[in-house]
PDB file of all heavy atoms in Angstrom:
ATOM      1  N   SER M 820      -4.061  14.459  27.337  1.00  0.00           N
ATOM      2  CA  SER M 820      -4.566  15.762  26.831  1.00  0.00           C
ATOM      3  C   SER M 820      -3.732  16.889  27.238  1.00  0.00           C
ATOM      4  O   SER M 820      -3.499  17.856  26.453  1.00  0.00           O
ATOM      5  CB  SER M 820      -5.996  15.906  27.300  1.00  0.00           C
ATOM      6  OG  SER M 820      -6.098  15.867  28.717  1.00  0.00           O
ATOM      7  N   ASP M 821      -3.270  16.915  28.468  1.00  0.00           N
ATOM      8  CA  ASP M 821      -2.441  18.096  28.941  1.00  0.00           C
ATOM      9  C   ASP M 821      -0.981  17.926  28.653  1.00  0.00           C
ATOM     10  O   ASP M 821      -0.235  18.910  28.545  1.00  0.00           O
ATOM     11  CB  ASP M 821      -2.653  18.251  30.453  1.00  0.00           C
ATOM     12  CG  ASP M 821      -4.054  18.646  30.813  1.00  0.00           C
ATOM     13  OD1 ASP M 821      -4.735  19.267  29.979  1.00  0.00           O
ATOM     14  OD2 ASP M 821      -4.534  18.278  31.949  1.00  0.00           O
ATOM     15  N   ALA M 822      -0.515  16.675  28.548  1.00  0.00           N
ATOM     16  CA  ALA M 822       0.908  16.396  28.380  1.00  0.00           C
ATOM     17  C   ALA M 822       1.302  16.535  26.921  1.00  0.00           C
ATOM     18  O   ALA M 822       2.522  16.772  26.670  1.00  0.00           O
ATOM     19  CB  ALA M 822       1.216  15.026  28.890  1.00  0.00           C
ATOM     20  N   CYS M 823       0.381  16.427  25.977  1.00  0.00           N
ATOM     21  CA  CYS M 823       0.792  16.448  24.581  1.00  0.00           C
ATOM     22  C   CYS M 823      -0.406  17.033  23.780  1.00  0.00           C
ATOM     23  O   CYS M 823      -1.508  16.576  23.856  1.00  0.00           O
ATOM     24  CB  CYS M 823       1.109  15.051  24.077  1.00  0.00           C
ATOM     25  SG  CYS M 823       1.568  14.976  22.322  1.00  0.00           S
ATOM     26  N   ASP M 824      -0.116  18.103  23.043  1.00  0.00           N
ATOM     27  CA  ASP M 824      -1.146  18.743  22.245  1.00  0.00           C
ATOM     28  C   ASP M 824      -1.209  18.148  20.811  1.00  0.00           C
ATOM     29  O   ASP M 824      -1.511  18.861  19.862  1.00  0.00           O
ATOM     30  CB  ASP M 824      -0.908  20.279  22.160  1.00  0.00           C
ATOM     31  CG  ASP M 824       0.405  20.608  21.496  1.00  0.00           C
ATOM     32  OD1 ASP M 824       1.238  19.694  21.280  1.00  0.00           O
ATOM     33  OD2 ASP M 824       0.636  21.819  21.213  1.00  0.00           O
ATOM     34  N   LEU M 825      -0.961  16.877  20.746  1.00  0.00           N
ATOM     35  CA  LEU M 825      -0.943  16.187  19.435  1.00  0.00           C
ATOM     36  C   LEU M 825      -2.368  16.141  18.851  1.00  0.00           C
ATOM     37  O   LEU M 825      -3.273  15.527  19.449  1.00  0.00           O
ATOM     38  CB  LEU M 825      -0.390  14.759  19.584  1.00  0.00           C
ATOM     39  CG  LEU M 825      -0.213  13.958  18.347  1.00  0.00           C
ATOM     40  CD1 LEU M 825       0.762  14.594  17.328  1.00  0.00           C
ATOM     41  CD2 LEU M 825       0.258  12.529  18.736  1.00  0.00           C
ATOM     42  N   VAL M 826      -2.561  16.723  17.737  1.00  0.00           N
ATOM     43  CA  VAL M 826      -3.854  16.778  17.124  1.00  0.00           C
ATOM     44  C   VAL M 826      -4.120  15.500  16.356  1.00  0.00           C
ATOM     45  O   VAL M 826      -3.145  14.818  15.893  1.00  0.00           O
ATOM     46  CB  VAL M 826      -4.009  18.010  16.165  1.00  0.00           C
ATOM     47  CG1 VAL M 826      -3.871  19.292  16.952  1.00  0.00           C
ATOM     48  CG2 VAL M 826      -2.993  17.943  15.080  1.00  0.00           C
ATOM     49  N   GLY M 827      -5.360  15.171  16.208  1.00  0.00           N
ATOM     50  CA  GLY M 827      -5.705  13.972  15.412  1.00  0.00           C
ATOM     51  C   GLY M 827      -5.258  14.094  13.996  1.00  0.00           C
ATOM     52  O   GLY M 827      -5.417  15.169  13.360  1.00  0.00           O
ATOM     53  N   GLY M 828      -4.769  13.009  13.419  1.00  0.00           N
ATOM     54  CA  GLY M 828      -4.336  13.024  12.037  1.00  0.00           C
ATOM     55  C   GLY M 828      -2.854  13.411  11.838  1.00  0.00           C
ATOM     56  O   GLY M 828      -2.335  13.324  10.699  1.00  0.00           O
ATOM     57  N   ARG M 829      -2.131  13.759  12.919  1.00  0.00           N
ATOM     58  CA  ARG M 829      -0.766  14.094  12.848  1.00  0.00           C
ATOM     59  C   ARG M 829       0.109  12.963  13.353  1.00  0.00           C
ATOM     60  O   ARG M 829      -0.124  12.456  14.474  1.00  0.00           O
ATOM     61  CB  ARG M 829      -0.439  15.377  13.574  1.00  0.00           C
ATOM     62  CG  ARG M 829       1.080  15.669  13.736  1.00  0.00           C
ATOM     63  CD  ARG M 829       1.337  17.055  14.160  1.00  0.00           C
ATOM     64  NE  ARG M 829       1.014  17.987  13.069  1.00  0.00           N
ATOM     65  CZ  ARG M 829       1.427  19.251  13.021  1.00  0.00           C
ATOM     66  NH1 ARG M 829       2.210  19.743  13.956  1.00  0.00           N
ATOM     67  NH2 ARG M 829       1.089  20.008  12.025  1.00  0.00           N
ATOM     68  N   LEU M 830       1.118  12.554  12.597  1.00  0.00           N
ATOM     69  CA  LEU M 830       2.127  11.596  13.070  1.00  0.00           C
ATOM     70  C   LEU M 830       3.314  12.363  13.579  1.00  0.00           C
ATOM     71  O   LEU M 830       3.957  13.104  12.832  1.00  0.00           O
ATOM     72  CB  LEU M 830       2.535  10.670  11.915  1.00  0.00           C
ATOM     73  CG  LEU M 830       3.701   9.708  12.218  1.00  0.00           C
ATOM     74  CD1 LEU M 830       3.436   8.838  13.408  1.00  0.00           C
ATOM     75  CD2 LEU M 830       4.031   8.934  10.982  1.00  0.00           C
ATOM     76  N   LEU M 831       3.617  12.259  14.846  1.00  0.00           N
ATOM     77  CA  LEU M 831       4.725  12.940  15.469  1.00  0.00           C
ATOM     78  C   LEU M 831       5.836  11.969  15.651  1.00  0.00           C
ATOM     79  O   LEU M 831       5.686  10.873  16.304  1.00  0.00           O
ATOM     80  CB  LEU M 831       4.304  13.512  16.807  1.00  0.00           C
ATOM     81  CG  LEU M 831       5.428  14.064  17.737  1.00  0.00           C
ATOM     82  CD1 LEU M 831       6.137  15.257  17.093  1.00  0.00           C
ATOM     83  CD2 LEU M 831       4.838  14.459  19.138  1.00  0.00           C
ATOM     84  N   MET M 832       7.037  12.284  15.154  1.00  0.00           N
ATOM     85  CA  MET M 832       8.225  11.407  15.307  1.00  0.00           C
ATOM     86  C   MET M 832       9.312  12.173  16.038  1.00  0.00           C
ATOM     87  O   MET M 832       9.697  13.260  15.645  1.00  0.00           O
ATOM     88  CB  MET M 832       8.707  11.014  13.951  1.00  0.00           C
ATOM     89  CG  MET M 832       9.837   9.987  13.985  1.00  0.00           C
ATOM     90  SD  MET M 832       9.300   8.345  14.566  1.00  0.00           S
ATOM     91  CE  MET M 832       8.307   7.763  13.166  1.00  0.00           C
ATOM     92  N   LEU M 833       9.730  11.568  17.181  1.00  0.00           N
ATOM     93  CA  LEU M 833      10.806  12.164  18.022  1.00  0.00           C
ATOM     94  C   LEU M 833      12.081  11.369  17.780  1.00  0.00           C
ATOM     95  O   LEU M 833      12.052  10.103  17.854  1.00  0.00           O
ATOM     96  CB  LEU M 833      10.418  12.163  19.467  1.00  0.00           C
ATOM     97  CG  LEU M 833       9.051  12.766  19.808  1.00  0.00           C
ATOM     98  CD1 LEU M 833       8.811  12.588  21.302  1.00  0.00           C
ATOM     99  CD2 LEU M 833       8.972  14.219  19.382  1.00  0.00           C
ATOM    100  N   SER M 834      13.184  12.011  17.480  1.00  0.00           N
ATOM    101  CA  SER M 834      14.439  11.298  17.239  1.00  0.00           C
ATOM    102  C   SER M 834      15.566  11.872  18.065  1.00  0.00           C
ATOM    103  O   SER M 834      15.624  13.054  18.340  1.00  0.00           O
ATOM    104  CB  SER M 834      14.796  11.455  15.697  1.00  0.00           C
ATOM    105  OG  SER M 834      16.043  10.908  15.398  1.00  0.00           O
ATOM    106  N   GLY M 835      16.449  10.992  18.495  1.00  0.00           N
ATOM    107  CA  GLY M 835      17.585  11.411  19.264  1.00  0.00           C
ATOM    108  C   GLY M 835      18.591  10.289  19.400  1.00  0.00           C
ATOM    109  O   GLY M 835      18.436   9.244  18.796  1.00  0.00           O
ATOM    110  N   PRO M 836      19.651  10.491  20.173  1.00  0.00           N
ATOM    111  CA  PRO M 836      20.669   9.512  20.337  1.00  0.00           C
ATOM    112  C   PRO M 836      20.163   8.136  20.887  1.00  0.00           C
ATOM    113  O   PRO M 836      20.754   7.097  20.545  1.00  0.00           O
ATOM    114  CB  PRO M 836      21.653  10.124  21.344  1.00  0.00           C
ATOM    115  CG  PRO M 836      21.391  11.590  21.241  1.00  0.00           C
ATOM    116  CD  PRO M 836      19.949  11.735  20.931  1.00  0.00           C
ATOM    117  N   GLU M 837      19.101   8.189  21.623  1.00  0.00           N
ATOM    118  CA  GLU M 837      18.572   6.969  22.223  1.00  0.00           C
ATOM    119  C   GLU M 837      17.798   6.110  21.247  1.00  0.00           C
ATOM    120  O   GLU M 837      17.629   4.908  21.408  1.00  0.00           O
ATOM    121  CB  GLU M 837      17.625   7.312  23.399  1.00  0.00           C
ATOM    122  CG  GLU M 837      18.275   7.976  24.556  1.00  0.00           C
ATOM    123  CD  GLU M 837      18.477   9.451  24.336  1.00  0.00           C
ATOM    124  OE1 GLU M 837      17.914  10.012  23.366  1.00  0.00           O
ATOM    125  OE2 GLU M 837      19.233  10.103  25.127  1.00  0.00           O
ATOM    126  N   GLY M 838      17.325   6.715  20.112  1.00  0.00           N
ATOM    127  CA  GLY M 838      16.514   6.045  19.147  1.00  0.00           C
ATOM    128  C   GLY M 838      15.464   6.955  18.617  1.00  0.00           C
ATOM    129  O   GLY M 838      15.682   8.171  18.433  1.00  0.00           O
ATOM    130  N   TYR M 839      14.244   6.473  18.430  1.00  0.00           N
ATOM    131  CA  TYR M 839      13.132   7.305  17.982  1.00  0.00           C
ATOM    132  C   TYR M 839      11.822   6.755  18.493  1.00  0.00           C
ATOM    133  O   TYR M 839      11.699   5.573  18.852  1.00  0.00           O
ATOM    134  CB  TYR M 839      13.123   7.439  16.439  1.00  0.00           C
ATOM    135  CG  TYR M 839      13.134   6.103  15.657  1.00  0.00           C
ATOM    136  CD1 TYR M 839      11.966   5.417  15.386  1.00  0.00           C
ATOM    137  CD2 TYR M 839      14.368   5.575  15.264  1.00  0.00           C
ATOM    138  CE1 TYR M 839      12.018   4.264  14.708  1.00  0.00           C
ATOM    139  CE2 TYR M 839      14.407   4.406  14.550  1.00  0.00           C
ATOM    140  CZ  TYR M 839      13.237   3.696  14.291  1.00  0.00           C
ATOM    141  OH  TYR M 839      13.262   2.546  13.579  1.00  0.00           O
ATOM    142  N   CYS M 840      10.853   7.629  18.534  1.00  0.00           N
ATOM    143  CA  CYS M 840       9.523   7.256  19.040  1.00  0.00           C
ATOM    144  C   CYS M 840       8.469   7.999  18.185  1.00  0.00           C
ATOM    145  O   CYS M 840       8.557   9.196  17.987  1.00  0.00           O
ATOM    146  CB  CYS M 840       9.339   7.680  20.500  1.00  0.00           C
ATOM    147  SG  CYS M 840       7.754   7.294  21.262  1.00  0.00           S
ATOM    148  N   GLY M 841       7.488   7.253  17.684  1.00  0.00           N
ATOM    149  CA  GLY M 841       6.409   7.810  16.938  1.00  0.00           C
ATOM    150  C   GLY M 841       5.124   7.812  17.727  1.00  0.00           C
ATOM    151  O   GLY M 841       4.838   6.872  18.502  1.00  0.00           O
ATOM    152  N   LEU M 842       4.394   8.907  17.674  1.00  0.00           N
ATOM    153  CA  LEU M 842       3.160   9.037  18.415  1.00  0.00           C
ATOM    154  C   LEU M 842       2.022   9.524  17.478  1.00  0.00           C
ATOM    155  O   LEU M 842       2.242  10.414  16.602  1.00  0.00           O
ATOM    156  CB  LEU M 842       3.267   9.987  19.542  1.00  0.00           C
ATOM    157  CG  LEU M 842       4.328   9.726  20.592  1.00  0.00           C
ATOM    158  CD1 LEU M 842       5.550  10.570  20.333  1.00  0.00           C
ATOM    159  CD2 LEU M 842       3.845   9.984  22.029  1.00  0.00           C
ATOM    160  N   VAL M 843       0.838   8.954  17.653  1.00  0.00           N
ATOM    161  CA  VAL M 843      -0.308   9.361  16.816  1.00  0.00           C
ATOM    162  C   VAL M 843      -1.568   9.201  17.663  1.00  0.00           C
ATOM    163  O   VAL M 843      -1.683   8.272  18.484  1.00  0.00           O
ATOM    164  CB  VAL M 843      -0.375   8.515  15.535  1.00  0.00           C
ATOM    165  CG1 VAL M 843      -0.651   7.039  15.830  1.00  0.00           C
ATOM    166  CG2 VAL M 843      -1.420   9.042  14.578  1.00  0.00           C
ATOM    167  N   ARG M 844      -2.493  10.166  17.495  1.00  0.00           N
ATOM    168  CA  ARG M 844      -3.756  10.102  18.240  1.00  0.00           C
ATOM    169  C   ARG M 844      -4.809   9.439  17.346  1.00  0.00           C
ATOM    170  O   ARG M 844      -5.097   9.919  16.264  1.00  0.00           O
ATOM    171  CB  ARG M 844      -4.204  11.492  18.661  1.00  0.00           C
ATOM    172  CG  ARG M 844      -5.396  11.523  19.628  1.00  0.00           C
ATOM    173  CD  ARG M 844      -5.786  12.940  20.040  1.00  0.00           C
ATOM    174  NE  ARG M 844      -4.787  13.690  20.673  1.00  0.00           N
ATOM    175  CZ  ARG M 844      -4.576  13.645  21.990  1.00  0.00           C
ATOM    176  NH1 ARG M 844      -5.264  12.832  22.751  1.00  0.00           N
ATOM    177  NH2 ARG M 844      -3.637  14.383  22.556  1.00  0.00           N
ATOM    178  N   THR M 845      -5.361   8.372  17.803  1.00  0.00           N
ATOM    179  CA  THR M 845      -6.335   7.623  17.020  1.00  0.00           C
ATOM    180  C   THR M 845      -7.741   8.238  17.236  1.00  0.00           C
ATOM    181  O   THR M 845      -7.929   9.162  18.024  1.00  0.00           O
ATOM    182  CB  THR M 845      -6.355   6.119  17.430  1.00  0.00           C
ATOM    183  OG1 THR M 845      -6.389   5.990  18.849  1.00  0.00           O
ATOM    184  CG2 THR M 845      -5.108   5.463  16.934  1.00  0.00           C
ATOM    185  N   GLY M 846      -8.735   7.682  16.521  1.00  0.00           N
ATOM    186  CA  GLY M 846     -10.052   8.258  16.493  1.00  0.00           C
ATOM    187  C   GLY M 846     -10.758   8.229  17.838  1.00  0.00           C
ATOM    188  O   GLY M 846     -11.684   8.999  18.039  1.00  0.00           O
ATOM    189  N   ASP M 847     -10.317   7.369  18.805  1.00  0.00           N
ATOM    190  CA  ASP M 847     -10.942   7.362  20.076  1.00  0.00           C
ATOM    191  C   ASP M 847     -10.282   8.332  21.084  1.00  0.00           C
ATOM    192  O   ASP M 847     -10.651   8.357  22.242  1.00  0.00           O
ATOM    193  CB  ASP M 847     -10.920   5.933  20.677  1.00  0.00           C
ATOM    194  CG  ASP M 847      -9.480   5.384  20.782  1.00  0.00           C
ATOM    195  OD1 ASP M 847      -8.518   6.065  20.275  1.00  0.00           O
ATOM    196  OD2 ASP M 847      -9.309   4.272  21.310  1.00  0.00           O
ATOM    197  N   GLY M 848      -9.313   9.114  20.599  1.00  0.00           N
ATOM    198  CA  GLY M 848      -8.651  10.089  21.452  1.00  0.00           C
ATOM    199  C   GLY M 848      -7.423   9.634  22.109  1.00  0.00           C
ATOM    200  O   GLY M 848      -6.644  10.453  22.675  1.00  0.00           O
ATOM    201  N   ALA M 849      -7.137   8.330  22.153  1.00  0.00           N
ATOM    202  CA  ALA M 849      -5.901   7.803  22.789  1.00  0.00           C
ATOM    203  C   ALA M 849      -4.696   8.097  21.930  1.00  0.00           C
ATOM    204  O   ALA M 849      -4.784   8.226  20.697  1.00  0.00           O
ATOM    205  CB  ALA M 849      -6.021   6.310  23.005  1.00  0.00           C
ATOM    206  N   ILE M 850      -3.555   8.198  22.556  1.00  0.00           N
ATOM    207  CA  ILE M 850      -2.305   8.349  21.816  1.00  0.00           C
ATOM    208  C   ILE M 850      -1.559   7.023  21.850  1.00  0.00           C
ATOM    209  O   ILE M 850      -1.308   6.454  22.896  1.00  0.00           O
ATOM    210  CB  ILE M 850      -1.398   9.481  22.422  1.00  0.00           C
ATOM    211  CG1 ILE M 850      -2.035  10.845  22.190  1.00  0.00           C
ATOM    212  CG2 ILE M 850      -0.015   9.416  21.798  1.00  0.00           C
ATOM    213  CD1 ILE M 850      -1.219  11.974  22.738  1.00  0.00           C
ATOM    214  N   HIS M 851      -1.229   6.511  20.675  1.00  0.00           N
ATOM    215  CA  HIS M 851      -0.467   5.275  20.583  1.00  0.00           C
ATOM    216  C   HIS M 851       0.984   5.654  20.259  1.00  0.00           C
ATOM    217  O   HIS M 851       1.265   6.430  19.345  1.00  0.00           O
ATOM    218  CB  HIS M 851      -0.973   4.413  19.409  1.00  0.00           C
ATOM    219  CG  HIS M 851      -2.380   3.818  19.727  1.00  0.00           C
ATOM    220  ND1 HIS M 851      -2.586   2.484  19.953  1.00  0.00           N
ATOM    221  CD2 HIS M 851      -3.579   4.422  19.914  1.00  0.00           C
ATOM    222  CE1 HIS M 851      -3.838   2.258  20.206  1.00  0.00           C
ATOM    223  NE2 HIS M 851      -4.470   3.399  20.195  1.00  0.00           N
ATOM    224  N   ALA M 852       1.896   5.105  21.073  1.00  0.00           N
ATOM    225  CA  ALA M 852       3.310   5.359  20.939  1.00  0.00           C
ATOM    226  C   ALA M 852       4.058   4.103  20.627  1.00  0.00           C
ATOM    227  O   ALA M 852       3.788   3.054  21.230  1.00  0.00           O
ATOM    228  CB  ALA M 852       3.828   6.033  22.260  1.00  0.00           C
ATOM    229  N   ALA M 853       4.998   4.200  19.684  1.00  0.00           N
ATOM    230  CA  ALA M 853       5.846   3.040  19.386  1.00  0.00           C
ATOM    231  C   ALA M 853       7.277   3.562  19.223  1.00  0.00           C
ATOM    232  O   ALA M 853       7.478   4.565  18.578  1.00  0.00           O
ATOM    233  CB  ALA M 853       5.396   2.318  18.125  1.00  0.00           C
ATOM    234  N   ALA M 854       8.237   2.841  19.827  1.00  0.00           N
ATOM    235  CA  ALA M 854       9.588   3.354  19.834  1.00  0.00           C
ATOM    236  C   ALA M 854      10.532   2.243  19.464  1.00  0.00           C
ATOM    237  O   ALA M 854      10.295   1.049  19.600  1.00  0.00           O
ATOM    238  CB  ALA M 854       9.965   3.843  21.254  1.00  0.00           C
ATOM    239  N   ALA M 855      11.724   2.621  18.940  1.00  0.00           N
ATOM    240  CA  ALA M 855      12.842   1.796  18.706  1.00  0.00           C
ATOM    241  C   ALA M 855      14.023   2.414  19.456  1.00  0.00           C
ATOM    242  O   ALA M 855      14.459   3.535  19.133  1.00  0.00           O
ATOM    243  CB  ALA M 855      13.150   1.646  17.197  1.00  0.00           C
ATOM    244  N   VAL M 856      14.543   1.696  20.454  1.00  0.00           N
ATOM    245  CA  VAL M 856      15.545   2.292  21.315  1.00  0.00           C
ATOM    246  C   VAL M 856      16.772   1.432  21.392  1.00  0.00           C
ATOM    247  O   VAL M 856      16.696   0.183  21.342  1.00  0.00           O
ATOM    248  CB  VAL M 856      14.929   2.407  22.756  1.00  0.00           C
ATOM    249  CG1 VAL M 856      15.921   3.153  23.679  1.00  0.00           C
ATOM    250  CG2 VAL M 856      13.572   3.164  22.728  1.00  0.00           C
ATOM    251  N   ASP M 857      17.959   2.067  21.478  1.00  0.00           N
ATOM    252  CA  ASP M 857      19.181   1.344  21.561  1.00  0.00           C
ATOM    253  C   ASP M 857      19.225   0.484  22.822  1.00  0.00           C
ATOM    254  O   ASP M 857      18.855   0.983  23.919  1.00  0.00           O
ATOM    255  CB  ASP M 857      20.389   2.326  21.569  1.00  0.00           C
ATOM    256  CG  ASP M 857      20.642   2.877  20.195  1.00  0.00           C
ATOM    257  OD1 ASP M 857      20.378   2.204  19.190  1.00  0.00           O
ATOM    258  OD2 ASP M 857      21.195   4.046  20.086  1.00  0.00           O
ATOM    259  N   ALA M 858      19.715  -0.703  22.678  1.00  0.00           N
ATOM    260  CA  ALA M 858      19.768  -1.585  23.844  1.00  0.00           C
ATOM    261  C   ALA M 858      20.623  -1.100  24.931  1.00  0.00           C
ATOM    262  O   ALA M 858      20.353  -1.313  26.120  1.00  0.00           O
ATOM    263  CB  ALA M 858      20.269  -2.979  23.366  1.00  0.00           C
ATOM    264  N   THR M 859      21.704  -0.310  24.605  1.00  0.00           N
ATOM    265  CA  THR M 859      22.535   0.223  25.624  1.00  0.00           C
ATOM    266  C   THR M 859      21.814   1.227  26.522  1.00  0.00           C
ATOM    267  O   THR M 859      22.004   1.262  27.731  1.00  0.00           O
ATOM    268  CB  THR M 859      23.818   0.868  25.002  1.00  0.00           C
ATOM    269  OG1 THR M 859      23.351   1.851  24.017  1.00  0.00           O
ATOM    270  CG2 THR M 859      24.706  -0.137  24.378  1.00  0.00           C
TER     271      THR M 859
END
């Protein structure tokens, strides 16, 4: 809650040299994060 002000219904995608990470807040309030990261 304090670390991320991600509102429900918003898909947040972070992209950079390391890869990318998607975050979404589900109906129970938890944030689910999934990433694809370079092996190096």
Side-chain angles (χ1 to χ4, degrees):
S820 58
D821 296 331
C823 180
D824 61 350
L825 183 62
V826 298
R829 168 165 293 196
L830 171 59
L831 170 63
M832 187 68 73
L833 310 177
S834 174
E837 297 79 12
Y839 52 87
C840 179
L842 302 100
V843 65
R844 192 181 295 276
T845 49
D847 58 354
I850 290 180
H851 290 247
V856 185
D857 285 331
T859 52

